[in-house]
Amino acid sequence: EHCRRGQGGLYFGDYLEFGVFDGRTMTLAWQMMNQVCGMRFFGFDSFNGIQGSGGDEQYQDGTYFSNLPTLLHNMTVAGADLSRVIPVAGEFSARLRPAKQVHAELGLRRCLVAHIDCDVYEAAKLALNFCTDLLVQGSILLFDEFHANQASNKTGERRALAEWLEENPRFEVERWHDYAASSRAYFVHRKD
């Protein structure tokens, strides 16, 4: 084996997706990155639909509901090695805190790619806060609904990113590209 996780071998980081719904984008991530040494694929979701929507947001609580068996089925159909797919169920407001404790519980040390597919401000901010100590120089942040809410900077994933950057001045982001009508990708740069 050319790569051994955590035993002095190569390890670049893990893929963390927040808001997996039925796993469609996780299957794409698997197809694109399953050869990255030691990468595991974490899927964080309430499995009860969107939670924490503000009254002024496009997406409402309870929408985009799926379940864990559907996620696992779709990952299996995609040919994923389920030993490297780790679903993490629970409301973000409880399941992602305290971050350091959850990192230790899941064995998380580095996030190479974070896919923020939370749709709403509160969940996106919780996801970014969770990733803060895991991001490395060159990590990629993907925001699935970045241009939702009429591209308003006052709500949704845009607001979450702006606030997170203000609260974490050791980071800056560089726009990579828009990868769908509502989606944007960034590279993370660490100043420390």
Side-chain angles (χ1 to χ4, degrees), residues 61-76:
D61 285 358
T63 56
Y64 293 96
F65 172 91
S66 192
N67 57 50
L68 188 54
T70 300
L71 166 65
L72 295 174
H73 169 77
N74 288 337
M75 295 302 293
T76 300

Side-chain angles (χ1 to χ4, degrees), residues 4-15:
R4 291 175 192 255
R5 178 176 172 68
Q7 299 174 354
L10 295 174
Y11 167 62
F12 298 105
D14 293 311
Y15 172 84

Side-chain angles (χ1 to χ4, degrees), residues 3-178:
C3 158
R4 291 175 192 255
R5 178 176 172 68
Q7 299 174 354
L10 295 174
Y11 167 62
F12 298 105
D14 293 311
Y15 172 84
L16 281 61
E17 183 167 326
F18 300 88
V20 299
F21 185 48
D22 61 6
R24 279 180 273 181
T25 53
M26 272 195 76
T27 62
L28 294 172
W30 171 263
Q31 296 297 330
M32 296 299 297
M33 296 181 287
N34 72 71
Q35 296 299 313
V36 175
C37 277
M39 181 174 273
R40 297 172 299 163
F41 295 78
F42 289 85
F44 297 85
D45 203 297
S46 70
F47 296 105
N48 288 316
I50 291 173
Q51 302 295 311
S53 175
D56 59 347
E57 293 188 281
Q58 178 178 336
Y59 301 95
Q60 298 301 306
D61 285 358
T63 56
Y64 293 96
F65 172 91
S66 192
N67 57 50
L68 188 54
T70 300
L71 166 65
L72 295 174
H73 169 77
N74 288 337
M75 295 302 293
T76 300
V77 169
D81 174 356
L82 292 185
S83 72
R84 294 173 55 200
V85 175
I86 299 99
V88 183
E91 306 295 329
F92 289 3
S93 58
R95 187 62 181 104
L96 299 181
R97 297 190 278 198
K100 287 184 186 290
Q101 180 179 323
V102 180
H103 296 166
E105 170 193 330
L106 298 174
L108 287 167
R109 293 182 293 142
R110 294 171 143 190
C111 174
L112 188 59
V113 179
H115 184 198
I116 313 294
D117 192 357
C118 302
D119 305 334
V120 298
Y121 160 75
E122 181 182 318
K125 183 73 181 301
L126 289 165
L128 285 166
N129 288 341
F130 181 79
C131 291
T132 301
D133 291 334
L134 301 173
L135 296 171
V136 296
Q137 172 59 38
S139 288
I140 297 171
L141 294 176
L142 304 171
F143 293 91
D144 204 61
E145 276 74 40
F146 195 76
H147 303 305
N149 302 299
Q150 300 168 325
S152 171
N153 291 326
K154 297 178 181 178
T155 190
E157 294 173 1
R158 282 176 174 251
R159 175 182 170 197
L161 177 61
E163 287 183 10
W164 179 80
L165 286 168
E166 186 173 316
E167 294 165 5
N168 294 281
R170 70 182 193 264
F171 293 103
E172 57 185 34
V173 293
E174 174 188 351
R175 181 178 172 182
W176 182 14
H177 66 94
D178 290 357

